Amino acid sequence: MNQIQKLPSLDDLPAEFRGSRLLPGTEAYGKSRAIFNMRWHDALPSMILRPDDEDDLVCIMKYVSAKAIPVAIRSGAHGVDGSAMPDGQAVIDLSGFRAISVDVEKKIIRCGAGILLGDMDKASSEHGLVVPAGTVSSTGIAGLTLGGGVGYNMRRFGATVDSLLSCKVVTTDGRRLTASNTANADLFWALRGGGGNFAIVTEFTFQAHRVGPMVGAGVVLFHMDDAKDVLTKLAVHMKTAPRPLQVIAALVPTPPMPGIPPEFYGVYMMSLVCVYTGDLALLDATIGELTALGTPAAVAVGPAPWVAVNSMLDAAAPYGRRVHTRGGYLSALSSTAIEAAIASARRAPAPKSPGPSTVQNIWFMGGAISEDFAEDSAAFSREGAEVFWEGVSQWDDDEEGPRFIDWADSAADALSAEMRANGYVNLTTDRGPEWLRGLYGSPEKFQRLIDAKTKWDPQNLLRFNKNIKPASV
Ligand SMILES: Cc1cc2nc3c(=O)[nH]c(=O)nc-3n(C[C@H](O)[C@H](O)[C@H](O)COP(=O)(O)OP(=O)(O)OC[C@H]3O[C@@H](n4cnc5c(N)ncnc54)[C@H](O)[C@@H]3O)c2cc1C
């Protein structure tokens, strides 16, 4: 976890604050404290503040800024580091900021900071619209967007930040602003990938795109012995595959899924998780090109509503377990990388409990995310990445931790020679300042982030994150 430093009490918050102050030991505190990754379950914030509205948030920020009290921010509670709930610190919980609106004509969607991906998909999909975002419906739109945002639509429409039009923010000294390409553009640039370092975003405005509501999706399953050959061919295939096709090659114990024979459940195999948002008349032919890459053990792909498709991985990500995540960009899916990933899958620790335990996901970039947006258009970096890899381990008992953490770390280490310095900040547990410096690509981009941090958060009040320090600290 980040800096542990006991705080002065926040009991003397101004009387204008109308929201809730949640203290340890209460039910409401426990509910807010319960985040996705409970690996640091001993960490207990000194107080959780739930503002009722922006006025409350302004009040808090004026107060903490005057007293130089750092604050952590909780929105969707899916941060991979658990940084929303640092021990002994003050937390601002924005999960109550639940307003959402859809302007169907202009295809514009506005989401409060507490909106989860499933909420957004539900509201937009009713109108045949989608904002490109992530793949698990309980993830928060806030932390995901501030990091960049990748998912099934990134090859077609780009990262989430590429469809972000503006943000309403409360600054660290308690001012209300809009950040966009035309207002406070330096802040807007930094917010699009720089994480929760610069200001507190209360509302995101997105440009949505026409998708579905029916799309094609499912899984093509291969035996591990075929994984090398199929992945080698898939890497070539995806270079020219249509943009509406996204494939995640997952090396994982096969989860129970409709259409997959039960004899494969729990067996370590390679699932090609496929989503095709193009013309459904072309679905069979598009998936046929994937099944032709080898001899599938099972194929379960068909039309389904977007909302169901974009939550099909939810079962693989149950709430409240201990989680360790590593990830990074690869310039190419080389044979060395493929062999390393397969070797890591073969040495994955056996779980004590039946839930999801270890997975390596290989996601294909290319298309819009790689080609349509300049590297310097936002803080989010994408340059040179053909695929990205993530290794995730999940467990329940603390004593199981070292085995599962070691596995994800060693799987990442086995790929380190292939991994690029630039990457996606939300893809991995914090690796420290040197790693962070490389993550945004060029030194000029990182300097731009330091400049934005120095201007917008000179006291580093927002430090419970992958922290970019202001020049003054
Ligand atoms: C199961 C799972 C699946 C995932 N799948 C994807 C995926 O498909 N695609 C993808 O791109 N990412 C994915 N992620 C990563 C996810 O985008 C990040 O973990 C993200 O930070 C989650 O945001 P949150 O609001 O839910 O989290 P929180 O824990 O609430 O926030 C994380 C951090 O973001 C900052 N923050 C949050 N809200 C604000 C705000 N309003 N203003 C300023 N700063 C703020 C804070 O620093 C906070 O510590 C996944 C994560 C998990 C756990």
Side-chain angles (χ1 to χ4, degrees), residues 36 73 75-79 83 94 134-135 140 142-144 146 149-150 196 199 201 424 426:
F36 178 85
I73 311 297
S75 289
H78 265 53
S83 53
L94 296 177
T135 53
L144 177 134
L146 294 171
V150 295
V201 181
Y424 171 30
N426 283 345

mmCIF file with all atom_site columns, all heavy atoms in Angstrom, residues 36 73 75-79 83 94 134-135 140 142-144 146 149-150 196 199 201 424 426, ligand 1:
data_model
loop_
_atom_site.group_PDB
_atom_site.id
_atom_site.type_symbol
_atom_site.label_atom_id
_atom_site.label_alt_id
_atom_site.label_comp_id
_atom_site.label_asym_id
_atom_site.label_entity_id
_atom_site.label_seq_id
_atom_site.pdbx_PDB_ins_code
_atom_site.Cartn_x
_atom_site.Cartn_y
_atom_site.Cartn_z
_atom_site.occupancy
_atom_site.B_iso_or_equiv
_atom_site.pdbx_formal_charge
_atom_site.auth_seq_id
_atom_site.auth_comp_id
_atom_site.auth_asym_id
_atom_site.auth_atom_id
_atom_site.pdbx_PDB_model_num
ATOM   1   N N   . PHE A 1 36  ? -13.418 -4.597 -4.251  1.00 0.00 ? 36  PHE A N   1
ATOM   2   C CA  . PHE A 1 36  ? -13.260 -5.833 -5.035  1.00 0.00 ? 36  PHE A CA  1
ATOM   3   C C   . PHE A 1 36  ? -12.074 -6.656 -4.529  1.00 0.00 ? 36  PHE A C   1
ATOM   4   O O   . PHE A 1 36  ? -12.192 -7.848 -4.277  1.00 0.00 ? 36  PHE A O   1
ATOM   5   C CB  . PHE A 1 36  ? -13.064 -5.482 -6.520  1.00 0.00 ? 36  PHE A CB  1
ATOM   6   C CG  . PHE A 1 36  ? -12.847 -6.693 -7.372  1.00 0.00 ? 36  PHE A CG  1
ATOM   7   C CD1 . PHE A 1 36  ? -13.929 -7.408 -7.858  1.00 0.00 ? 36  PHE A CD1 1
ATOM   8   C CD2 . PHE A 1 36  ? -11.564 -7.149 -7.670  1.00 0.00 ? 36  PHE A CD2 1
ATOM   9   C CE1 . PHE A 1 36  ? -13.740 -8.552 -8.623  1.00 0.00 ? 36  PHE A CE1 1
ATOM   10  C CE2 . PHE A 1 36  ? -11.367 -8.281 -8.435  1.00 0.00 ? 36  PHE A CE2 1
ATOM   11  C CZ  . PHE A 1 36  ? -12.461 -8.988 -8.906  1.00 0.00 ? 36  PHE A CZ  1
ATOM   12  N N   . ILE A 1 73  ? -9.702  8.240  -2.956  1.00 0.00 ? 73  ILE A N   1
ATOM   13  C CA  . ILE A 1 73  ? -10.999 8.315  -3.644  1.00 0.00 ? 73  ILE A CA  1
ATOM   14  C C   . ILE A 1 73  ? -11.484 6.911  -3.979  1.00 0.00 ? 73  ILE A C   1
ATOM   15  O O   . ILE A 1 73  ? -10.745 6.110  -4.550  1.00 0.00 ? 73  ILE A O   1
ATOM   16  C CB  . ILE A 1 73  ? -10.884 9.109  -4.972  1.00 0.00 ? 73  ILE A CB  1
ATOM   17  C CG1 . ILE A 1 73  ? -10.152 10.435 -4.767  1.00 0.00 ? 73  ILE A CG1 1
ATOM   18  C CG2 . ILE A 1 73  ? -12.276 9.334  -5.575  1.00 0.00 ? 73  ILE A CG2 1
ATOM   19  C CD1 . ILE A 1 73  ? -10.829 11.415 -3.857  1.00 0.00 ? 73  ILE A CD1 1
ATOM   20  N N   . SER A 1 75  ? -14.559 5.029  -6.078  1.00 0.00 ? 75  SER A N   1
ATOM   21  C CA  . SER A 1 75  ? -15.727 5.165  -6.962  1.00 0.00 ? 75  SER A CA  1
ATOM   22  C C   . SER A 1 75  ? -16.320 3.787  -7.179  1.00 0.00 ? 75  SER A C   1
ATOM   23  O O   . SER A 1 75  ? -17.206 3.360  -6.449  1.00 0.00 ? 75  SER A O   1
ATOM   24  C CB  . SER A 1 75  ? -15.334 5.852  -8.277  1.00 0.00 ? 75  SER A CB  1
ATOM   25  O OG  . SER A 1 75  ? -15.055 7.220  -8.044  1.00 0.00 ? 75  SER A OG  1
ATOM   26  N N   . GLY A 1 76  ? -15.805 3.035  -8.164  1.00 0.00 ? 76  GLY A N   1
ATOM   27  C CA  . GLY A 1 76  ? -16.341 1.695  -8.419  1.00 0.00 ? 76  GLY A CA  1
ATOM   28  C C   . GLY A 1 76  ? -15.701 0.608  -7.578  1.00 0.00 ? 76  GLY A C   1
ATOM   29  O O   . GLY A 1 76  ? -16.137 -0.543 -7.593  1.00 0.00 ? 76  GLY A O   1
ATOM   30  N N   . ALA A 1 77  ? -14.608 0.935  -6.854  1.00 0.00 ? 77  ALA A N   1
ATOM   31  C CA  . ALA A 1 77  ? -13.943 0.019  -5.901  1.00 0.00 ? 77  ALA A CA  1
ATOM   32  C C   . ALA A 1 77  ? -13.262 -1.176 -6.568  1.00 0.00 ? 77  ALA A C   1
ATOM   33  O O   . ALA A 1 77  ? -12.996 -2.171 -5.923  1.00 0.00 ? 77  ALA A O   1
ATOM   34  C CB  . ALA A 1 77  ? -14.938 -0.473 -4.845  1.00 0.00 ? 77  ALA A CB  1
ATOM   35  N N   . HIS A 1 78  ? -12.921 -1.067 -7.859  1.00 0.00 ? 78  HIS A N   1
ATOM   36  C CA  . HIS A 1 78  ? -12.235 -2.168 -8.551  1.00 0.00 ? 78  HIS A CA  1
ATOM   37  C C   . HIS A 1 78  ? -10.745 -1.920 -8.744  1.00 0.00 ? 78  HIS A C   1
ATOM   38  O O   . HIS A 1 78  ? -10.100 -2.641 -9.507  1.00 0.00 ? 78  HIS A O   1
ATOM   39  C CB  . HIS A 1 78  ? -12.875 -2.407 -9.920  1.00 0.00 ? 78  HIS A CB  1
ATOM   40  C CG  . HIS A 1 78  ? -13.901 -3.484 -9.905  1.00 0.00 ? 78  HIS A CG  1
ATOM   41  N ND1 . HIS A 1 78  ? -14.941 -3.486 -9.021  1.00 0.00 ? 78  HIS A ND1 1
ATOM   42  C CD2 . HIS A 1 78  ? -14.039 -4.603 -10.656 1.00 0.00 ? 78  HIS A CD2 1
ATOM   43  C CE1 . HIS A 1 78  ? -15.682 -4.559 -9.244  1.00 0.00 ? 78  HIS A CE1 1
ATOM   44  N NE2 . HIS A 1 78  ? -15.157 -5.255 -10.212 1.00 0.00 ? 78  HIS A NE2 1
ATOM   45  N N   . GLY A 1 79  ? -10.201 -0.882 -8.120  1.00 0.00 ? 79  GLY A N   1
ATOM   46  C CA  . GLY A 1 79  ? -8.777  -0.595 -8.298  1.00 0.00 ? 79  GLY A CA  1
ATOM   47  C C   . GLY A 1 79  ? -7.947  -1.824 -7.937  1.00 0.00 ? 79  GLY A C   1
ATOM   48  O O   . GLY A 1 79  ? -8.207  -2.469 -6.922  1.00 0.00 ? 79  GLY A O   1
ATOM   49  N N   . SER A 1 83  ? -6.111  0.871  -3.542  1.00 0.00 ? 83  SER A N   1
ATOM   50  C CA  . SER A 1 83  ? -5.697  2.197  -3.074  1.00 0.00 ? 83  SER A CA  1
ATOM   51  C C   . SER A 1 83  ? -6.875  3.083  -2.700  1.00 0.00 ? 83  SER A C   1
ATOM   52  O O   . SER A 1 83  ? -6.691  4.182  -2.177  1.00 0.00 ? 83  SER A O   1
ATOM   53  C CB  . SER A 1 83  ? -4.836  2.888  -4.133  1.00 0.00 ? 83  SER A CB  1
ATOM   54  O OG  . SER A 1 83  ? -5.508  2.892  -5.372  1.00 0.00 ? 83  SER A OG  1
ATOM   55  N N   . LEU A 1 94  ? -17.380 8.133  -3.605  1.00 0.00 ? 94  LEU A N   1
ATOM   56  C CA  . LEU A 1 94  ? -18.266 8.772  -4.599  1.00 0.00 ? 94  LEU A CA  1
ATOM   57  C C   . LEU A 1 94  ? -19.266 7.793  -5.199  1.00 0.00 ? 94  LEU A C   1
ATOM   58  O O   . LEU A 1 94  ? -19.888 8.082  -6.218  1.00 0.00 ? 94  LEU A O   1
ATOM   59  C CB  . LEU A 1 94  ? -17.413 9.372  -5.726  1.00 0.00 ? 94  LEU A CB  1
ATOM   60  C CG  . LEU A 1 94  ? -16.463 10.496 -5.318  1.00 0.00 ? 94  LEU A CG  1
ATOM   61  C CD1 . LEU A 1 94  ? -15.622 10.941 -6.514  1.00 0.00 ? 94  LEU A CD1 1
ATOM   62  C CD2 . LEU A 1 94  ? -17.230 11.684 -4.765  1.00 0.00 ? 94  LEU A CD2 1
ATOM   63  N N   . GLY A 1 134 ? -14.673 -1.424 -20.297 1.00 0.00 ? 134 GLY A N   1
ATOM   64  C CA  . GLY A 1 134 ? -14.084 -2.703 -19.910 1.00 0.00 ? 134 GLY A CA  1
ATOM   65  C C   . GLY A 1 134 ? -15.047 -3.871 -19.994 1.00 0.00 ? 134 GLY A C   1
ATOM   66  O O   . GLY A 1 134 ? -16.179 -3.725 -20.491 1.00 0.00 ? 134 GLY A O   1
ATOM   67  N N   . THR A 1 135 ? -14.609 -5.013 -19.493 1.00 0.00 ? 135 THR A N   1
ATOM   68  C CA  . THR A 1 135 ? -15.271 -6.287 -19.762 1.00 0.00 ? 135 THR A CA  1
ATOM   69  C C   . THR A 1 135 ? -15.981 -6.913 -18.554 1.00 0.00 ? 135 THR A C   1
ATOM   70  O O   . THR A 1 135 ? -16.560 -7.981 -18.690 1.00 0.00 ? 135 THR A O   1
ATOM   71  C CB  . THR A 1 135 ? -14.225 -7.294 -20.265 1.00 0.00 ? 135 THR A CB  1
ATOM   72  O OG1 . THR A 1 135 ? -13.151 -7.319 -19.321 1.00 0.00 ? 135 THR A OG1 1
ATOM   73  C CG2 . THR A 1 135 ? -13.679 -6.916 -21.625 1.00 0.00 ? 135 THR A CG2 1
ATOM   74  N N   . GLY A 1 140 ? -15.845 0.129  -12.028 1.00 0.00 ? 140 GLY A N   1
ATOM   75  C CA  . GLY A 1 140 ? -16.284 1.530  -12.025 1.00 0.00 ? 140 GLY A CA  1
ATOM   76  C C   . GLY A 1 140 ? -15.824 2.257  -13.275 1.00 0.00 ? 140 GLY A C   1
ATOM   77  O O   . GLY A 1 140 ? -14.687 2.085  -13.719 1.00 0.00 ? 140 GLY A O   1
ATOM   78  N N   . ALA A 1 142 ? -15.201 5.329  -13.351 1.00 0.00 ? 142 ALA A N   1
ATOM   79  C CA  . ALA A 1 142 ? -14.285 6.424  -12.982 1.00 0.00 ? 142 ALA A CA  1
ATOM   80  C C   . ALA A 1 142 ? -12.816 5.993  -13.080 1.00 0.00 ? 142 ALA A C   1
ATOM   81  O O   . ALA A 1 142 ? -12.052 6.534  -13.884 1.00 0.00 ? 142 ALA A O   1
ATOM   82  C CB  . ALA A 1 142 ? -14.607 6.918  -11.575 1.00 0.00 ? 142 ALA A CB  1
ATOM   83  N N   . GLY A 1 143 ? -12.429 5.006  -12.263 1.00 0.00 ? 143 GLY A N   1
ATOM   84  C CA  . GLY A 1 143 ? -11.020 4.586  -12.277 1.00 0.00 ? 143 GLY A CA  1
ATOM   85  C C   . GLY A 1 143 ? -10.622 4.027  -13.631 1.00 0.00 ? 143 GLY A C   1
ATOM   86  O O   . GLY A 1 143 ? -9.496  4.235  -14.091 1.00 0.00 ? 143 GLY A O   1
ATOM   87  N N   . LEU A 1 144 ? -11.545 3.330  -14.279 1.00 0.00 ? 144 LEU A N   1
ATOM   88  C CA  . LEU A 1 144 ? -11.237 2.753  -15.602 1.00 0.00 ? 144 LEU A CA  1
ATOM   89  C C   . LEU A 1 144 ? -10.931 3.862  -16.610 1.00 0.00 ? 144 LEU A C   1
ATOM   90  O O   . LEU A 1 144 ? -9.907  3.822  -17.299 1.00 0.00 ? 144 LEU A O   1
ATOM   91  C CB  . LEU A 1 144 ? -12.410 1.891  -16.075 1.00 0.00 ? 144 LEU A CB  1
ATOM   92  C CG  . LEU A 1 144 ? -12.259 1.284  -17.476 1.00 0.00 ? 144 LEU A CG  1
ATOM   93  C CD1 . LEU A 1 144 ? -12.650 -0.194 -17.482 1.00 0.00 ? 144 LEU A CD1 1
ATOM   94  C CD2 . LEU A 1 144 ? -13.092 2.035  -18.494 1.00 0.00 ? 144 LEU A CD2 1
ATOM   95  N N   . LEU A 1 146 ? -10.080 7.014  -16.055 1.00 0.00 ? 146 LEU A N   1
ATOM   96  C CA  . LEU A 1 146 ? -8.915  7.833  -15.705 1.00 0.00 ? 146 LEU A CA  1
ATOM   97  C C   . LEU A 1 146 ? -7.604  7.115  -16.032 1.00 0.00 ? 146 LEU A C   1
ATOM   98  O O   . LEU A 1 146 ? -6.578  7.754  -16.246 1.00 0.00 ? 146 LEU A O   1
ATOM   99  C CB  . LEU A 1 146 ? -8.973  8.227  -14.219 1.00 0.00 ? 146 LEU A CB  1
ATOM   100 C CG  . LEU A 1 146 ? -10.149 9.163  -13.888 1.00 0.00 ? 146 LEU A CG  1
ATOM   101 C CD1 . LEU A 1 146 ? -10.307 9.348  -12.379 1.00 0.00 ? 146 LEU A CD1 1
ATOM   102 C CD2 . LEU A 1 146 ? -9.970  10.512 -14.570 1.00 0.00 ? 146 LEU A CD2 1
ATOM   103 N N   . GLY A 1 149 ? -8.823  2.694  -20.188 1.00 0.00 ? 149 GLY A N   1
ATOM   104 C CA  . GLY A 1 149 ? -10.021 1.935  -20.535 1.00 0.00 ? 149 GLY A CA  1
ATOM   105 C C   . GLY A 1 149 ? -9.881  1.110  -21.804 1.00 0.00 ? 149 GLY A C   1
ATOM   106 O O   . GLY A 1 149 ? -9.829  1.653  -22.904 1.00 0.00 ? 149 GLY A O   1
ATOM   107 N N   . VAL A 1 150 ? -9.807  -0.209 -21.629 1.00 0.00 ? 150 VAL A N   1
ATOM   108 C CA  . VAL A 1 150 ? -9.695  -1.116 -22.780 1.00 0.00 ? 150 VAL A CA  1
ATOM   109 C C   . VAL A 1 150 ? -10.770 -2.192 -22.687 1.00 0.00 ? 150 VAL A C   1
ATOM   110 O O   . VAL A 1 150 ? -11.195 -2.552 -21.589 1.00 0.00 ? 150 VAL A O   1
ATOM   111 C CB  . VAL A 1 150 ? -8.299  -1.787 -22.827 1.00 0.00 ? 150 VAL A CB  1
ATOM   112 C CG1 . VAL A 1 150 ? -7.207  -0.761 -23.057 1.00 0.00 ? 150 VAL A CG1 1
ATOM   113 C CG2 . VAL A 1 150 ? -8.025  -2.588 -21.551 1.00 0.00 ? 150 VAL A CG2 1
ATOM   114 N N   . GLY A 1 196 ? -5.891  8.713  -11.051 1.00 0.00 ? 196 GLY A N   1
ATOM   115 C CA  . GLY A 1 196 ? -6.591  9.645  -10.167 1.00 0.00 ? 196 GLY A CA  1
ATOM   116 C C   . GLY A 1 196 ? -5.664  10.628 -9.496  1.00 0.00 ? 196 GLY A C   1
ATOM   117 O O   . GLY A 1 196 ? -5.765  10.875 -8.299  1.00 0.00 ? 196 GLY A O   1
ATOM   118 N N   . ALA A 1 199 ? -7.337  15.633 -10.070 1.00 0.00 ? 199 ALA A N   1
ATOM   119 C CA  . ALA A 1 199 ? -8.555  16.306 -9.580  1.00 0.00 ? 199 ALA A CA  1
ATOM   120 C C   . ALA A 1 199 ? -9.572  15.211 -9.327  1.00 0.00 ? 199 ALA A C   1
ATOM   121 O O   . ALA A 1 199 ? -9.380  14.057 -9.744  1.00 0.00 ? 199 ALA A O   1
ATOM   122 C CB  . ALA A 1 199 ? -9.082  17.283 -10.629 1.00 0.00 ? 199 ALA A CB  1
ATOM   123 N N   . VAL A 1 201 ? -12.992 13.713 -10.262 1.00 0.00 ? 201 VAL A N   1
ATOM   124 C CA  . VAL A 1 201 ? -13.978 13.805 -11.347 1.00 0.00 ? 201 VAL A CA  1
ATOM   125 C C   . VAL A 1 201 ? -15.333 13.391 -10.787 1.00 0.00 ? 201 VAL A C   1
ATOM   126 O O   . VAL A 1 201 ? -15.476 12.323 -10.181 1.00 0.00 ? 201 VAL A O   1
ATOM   127 C CB  . VAL A 1 201 ? -13.581 12.903 -12.532 1.00 0.00 ? 201 VAL A CB  1
ATOM   128 C CG1 . VAL A 1 201 ? -14.617 13.031 -13.650 1.00 0.00 ? 201 VAL A CG1 1
ATOM   129 C CG2 . VAL A 1 201 ? -12.198 13.275 -13.053 1.00 0.00 ? 201 VAL A CG2 1
ATOM   130 N N   . TYR A 1 424 ? -0.306  0.281  -19.743 1.00 0.00 ? 424 TYR A N   1
ATOM   131 C CA  . TYR A 1 424 ? -1.611  0.773  -19.277 1.00 0.00 ? 424 TYR A CA  1
ATOM   132 C C   . TYR A 1 424 ? -1.612  0.698  -17.749 1.00 0.00 ? 424 TYR A C   1
ATOM   133 O O   . TYR A 1 424 ? -1.459  -0.379 -17.171 1.00 0.00 ? 424 TYR A O   1
ATOM   134 C CB  . TYR A 1 424 ? -2.716  -0.087 -19.907 1.00 0.00 ? 424 TYR A CB  1
ATOM   135 C CG  . TYR A 1 424 ? -4.116  0.133  -19.370 1.00 0.00 ? 424 TYR A CG  1
ATOM   136 C CD1 . TYR A 1 424 ? -4.516  1.373  -18.881 1.00 0.00 ? 424 TYR A CD1 1
ATOM   137 C CD2 . TYR A 1 424 ? -5.044  -0.892 -19.357 1.00 0.00 ? 424 TYR A CD2 1
ATOM   138 C CE1 . TYR A 1 424 ? -5.791  1.568  -18.395 1.00 0.00 ? 424 TYR A CE1 1
ATOM   139 C CE2 . TYR A 1 424 ? -6.336  -0.709 -18.875 1.00 0.00 ? 424 TYR A CE2 1
ATOM   140 C CZ  . TYR A 1 424 ? -6.701  0.526  -18.393 1.00 0.00 ? 424 TYR A CZ  1
ATOM   141 O OH  . TYR A 1 424 ? -7.965  0.728  -17.899 1.00 0.00 ? 424 TYR A OH  1
ATOM   142 N N   . ASN A 1 426 ? -3.729  0.742  -15.390 1.00 0.00 ? 426 ASN A N   1
ATOM   143 C CA  . ASN A 1 426 ? -4.691  -0.069 -14.637 1.00 0.00 ? 426 ASN A CA  1
ATOM   144 C C   . ASN A 1 426 ? -4.440  -1.564 -14.776 1.00 0.00 ? 426 ASN A C   1
ATOM   145 O O   . ASN A 1 426 ? -5.158  -2.368 -14.186 1.00 0.00 ? 426 ASN A O   1
ATOM   146 C CB  . ASN A 1 426 ? -6.115  0.203  -15.119 1.00 0.00 ? 426 ASN A CB  1
ATOM   147 C CG  . ASN A 1 426 ? -6.669  1.507  -14.585 1.00 0.00 ? 426 ASN A CG  1
ATOM   148 O OD1 . ASN A 1 426 ? -6.118  2.078  -13.657 1.00 0.00 ? 426 ASN A OD1 1
ATOM   149 N ND2 . ASN A 1 426 ? -7.753  1.976  -15.176 1.00 0.00 ? 426 ASN A ND2 1
HETATM 150 C C1  . LIG B 2 .   ? -12.341 -7.681 -12.156 1.00 0.00 ? 1   LIG B C1  1
HETATM 151 C C2  . LIG B 2 .   ? -11.714 -6.526 -12.856 1.00 0.00 ? 1   LIG B C2  1
HETATM 152 C C3  . LIG B 2 .   ? -11.875 -6.402 -14.227 1.00 0.00 ? 1   LIG B C3  1
HETATM 153 C C4  . LIG B 2 .   ? -11.301 -5.346 -14.912 1.00 0.00 ? 1   LIG B C4  1
HETATM 154 N N1  . LIG B 2 .   ? -11.472 -5.260 -16.273 1.00 0.00 ? 1   LIG B N1  1
HETATM 155 C C5  . LIG B 2 .   ? -10.974 -4.200 -16.940 1.00 0.00 ? 1   LIG B C5  1
HETATM 156 C C6  . LIG B 2 .   ? -11.189 -4.060 -18.341 1.00 0.00 ? 1   LIG B C6  1
HETATM 157 O O1  . LIG B 2 .   ? -11.800 -4.902 -18.992 1.00 0.00 ? 1   LIG B O1  1
HETATM 158 N N2  . LIG B 2 .   ? -10.696 -2.965 -18.949 1.00 0.00 ? 1   LIG B N2  1
HETATM 159 C C7  . LIG B 2 .   ? -9.994  -2.006 -18.263 1.00 0.00 ? 1   LIG B C7  1
HETATM 160 O O2  . LIG B 2 .   ? -9.586  -1.022 -18.879 1.00 0.00 ? 1   LIG B O2  1
HETATM 161 N N3  . LIG B 2 .   ? -9.751  -2.127 -16.944 1.00 0.00 ? 1   LIG B N3  1
HETATM 162 C C8  . LIG B 2 .   ? -10.225 -3.199 -16.276 1.00 0.00 ? 1   LIG B C8  1
HETATM 163 N N4  . LIG B 2 .   ? -9.984  -3.323 -14.929 1.00 0.00 ? 1   LIG B N4  1
HETATM 164 C C9  . LIG B 2 .   ? -9.128  -2.353 -14.259 1.00 0.00 ? 1   LIG B C9  1
HETATM 165 C C10 . LIG B 2 .   ? -9.964  -1.151 -13.803 1.00 0.00 ? 1   LIG B C10 1
HETATM 166 O O3  . LIG B 2 .   ? -10.133 -0.282 -14.888 1.00 0.00 ? 1   LIG B O3  1
HETATM 167 C C11 . LIG B 2 .   ? -9.225  -0.392 -12.705 1.00 0.00 ? 1   LIG B C11 1
HETATM 168 O O4  . LIG B 2 .   ? -8.983  -1.237 -11.632 1.00 0.00 ? 1   LIG B O4  1
HETATM 169 C C12 . LIG B 2 .   ? -9.983  0.880  -12.270 1.00 0.00 ? 1   LIG B C12 1
HETATM 170 O O5  . LIG B 2 .   ? -9.141  1.617  -11.437 1.00 0.00 ? 1   LIG B O5  1
HETATM 171 C C13 . LIG B 2 .   ? -11.271 0.572  -11.534 1.00 0.00 ? 1   LIG B C13 1
HETATM 172 O O6  . LIG B 2 .   ? -11.944 1.773  -11.271 1.00 0.00 ? 1   LIG B O6  1
HETATM 173 P P1  . LIG B 2 .   ? -12.975 1.883  -10.044 1.00 0.00 ? 1   LIG B P1  1
HETATM 174 O O7  . LIG B 2 .   ? -13.592 3.213  -10.091 1.00 0.00 ? 1   LIG B O7  1
HETATM 175 O O8  . LIG B 2 .   ? -13.845 0.680  -10.079 1.00 0.00 ? 1   LIG B O8  1
HETATM 176 O O9  . LIG B 2 .   ? -12.001 1.691  -8.827  1.00 0.00 ? 1   LIG B O9  1
HETATM 177 P P2  . LIG B 2 .   ? -11.694 2.497  -7.460  1.00 0.00 ? 1   LIG B P2  1
HETATM 178 O O10 . LIG B 2 .   ? -10.971 1.497  -6.628  1.00 0.00 ? 1   LIG B O10 1
HETATM 179 O O11 . LIG B 2 .   ? -12.893 3.127  -6.904  1.00 0.00 ? 1   LIG B O11 1
HETATM 180 O O12 . LIG B 2 .   ? -10.708 3.595  -7.947  1.00 0.00 ? 1   LIG B O12 1
HETATM 181 C C14 . LIG B 2 .   ? -9.389  3.277  -8.336  1.00 0.00 ? 1   LIG B C14 1
HETATM 182 C C15 . LIG B 2 .   ? -8.535  4.528  -8.236  1.00 0.00 ? 1   LIG B C15 1
HETATM 183 O O13 . LIG B 2 .   ? -8.956  5.463  -9.229  1.00 0.00 ? 1   LIG B O13 1
HETATM 184 C C16 . LIG B 2 .   ? -8.917  6.786  -8.703  1.00 0.00 ? 1   LIG B C16 1
HETATM 185 N N5  . LIG B 2 .   ? -10.273 7.332  -8.757  1.00 0.00 ? 1   LIG B N5  1
HETATM 186 C C17 . LIG B 2 .   ? -11.431 6.637  -8.705  1.00 0.00 ? 1   LIG B C17 1
HETATM 187 N N6  . LIG B 2 .   ? -12.462 7.440  -8.866  1.00 0.00 ? 1   LIG B N6  1
HETATM 188 C C18 . LIG B 2 .   ? -11.979 8.683  -9.029  1.00 0.00 ? 1   LIG B C18 1
HETATM 189 C C19 . LIG B 2 .   ? -12.584 9.946  -9.267  1.00 0.00 ? 1   LIG B C19 1
HETATM 190 N N7  . LIG B 2 .   ? -13.916 10.071 -9.367  1.00 0.00 ? 1   LIG B N7  1
HETATM 191 N N8  . LIG B 2 .   ? -11.780 11.032 -9.381  1.00 0.00 ? 1   LIG B N8  1
HETATM 192 C C20 . LIG B 2 .   ? -10.432 10.908 -9.280  1.00 0.00 ? 1   LIG B C20 1
HETATM 193 N N9  . LIG B 2 .   ? -9.812  9.729  -9.073  1.00 0.00 ? 1   LIG B N9  1
HETATM 194 C C21 . LIG B 2 .   ? -10.581 8.628  -8.951  1.00 0.00 ? 1   LIG B C21 1
HETATM 195 C C22 . LIG B 2 .   ? -8.370  6.682  -7.299  1.00 0.00 ? 1   LIG B C22 1
HETATM 196 O O14 . LIG B 2 .   ? -6.982  6.876  -7.339  1.00 0.00 ? 1   LIG B O14 1
HETATM 197 C C23 . LIG B 2 .   ? -8.675  5.252  -6.910  1.00 0.00 ? 1   LIG B C23 1
HETATM 198 O O15 . LIG B 2 .   ? -7.764  4.731  -5.962  1.00 0.00 ? 1   LIG B O15 1
HETATM 199 C C24 . LIG B 2 .   ? -10.542 -4.379 -14.208 1.00 0.00 ? 1   LIG B C24 1
HETATM 200 C C25 . LIG B 2 .   ? -10.368 -4.498 -12.829 1.00 0.00 ? 1   LIG B C25 1
HETATM 201 C C26 . LIG B 2 .   ? -10.943 -5.560 -12.154 1.00 0.00 ? 1   LIG B C26 1
HETATM 202 C C27 . LIG B 2 .   ? -10.724 -5.693 -10.680 1.00 0.00 ? 1   LIG B C27 1
#
